[in-house]
Structures are given as C-alpha cells and as structure tokens.
Amino acid sequence: MTTLNLTTKDILSDIEGFKERIYKAQQKLQILPKNSPGPQERKRMKFKRRILEQEIDHVKRLIRIAKEALGEMEQ
C-alpha cells in the first residue's frame, strides 16, 4: 500500500478547488427552471436538481474531511 503525504498547502489548495466545485454546481442549480412544461420535462429537471444538490453535499463533506486533516496536522 502506498502512503500519500499531503502538506498543508496541498490540502488548502484542495479546499479551494472544492469551493469552486460548489460554486459551479450552485450556478447550474440557479439556472434550472423552477417549473417546466410537461411531466417528462419536470421529471428531468427534478433529476438534474437532485444530482446537483448531491454534488454540493458531497463536496461539503470533502471540505469537512480536509479541514479535519488540517487540524490533525497542526497537532
């Protein structure tokens, strides 16, 4: 098994990348129409919205993990 050595700089860089991912997902979420004509289109928009919301939640968890790693590195 290979050990991965991360520096504080690496982790902070990752966090910035994660924040950018959240920003982009939020932007895409905002441009999705709230109401779509027809049941098929509504279903498709609901699916897209759910995927984007899941991406945001996932990346927020990644940020939490990265911040915990920073806390452990400082000790």
Side-chain angles (χ1 to χ4, degrees), residues 10-51:
D10 293 331
I11 295 172
L12 290 173
S13 175
D14 287 344
I15 290 172
E16 288 306 310
F18 294 150
K19 288 179 181 178
E20 183 65 25
R21 280 175 64 180
I22 290 173
Y23 175 77
K24 286 179 181 179
Q26 288 172 333
Q27 293 300 312
K28 289 178 183 178
L29 200 54
Q30 286 179 351
I31 63 172
L32 282 179
K34 300 280 188 236
N35 296 316
S36 300
Q40 286 295 98
E41 188 64 20
R42 274 194 297 276
K43 187 175 181 179
R44 203 167 65 89
M45 288 303 118
K46 188 176 181 181
F47 176 75
K48 284 184 176 186
R49 185 173 304 281
R50 186 173 66 242
I51 294 297

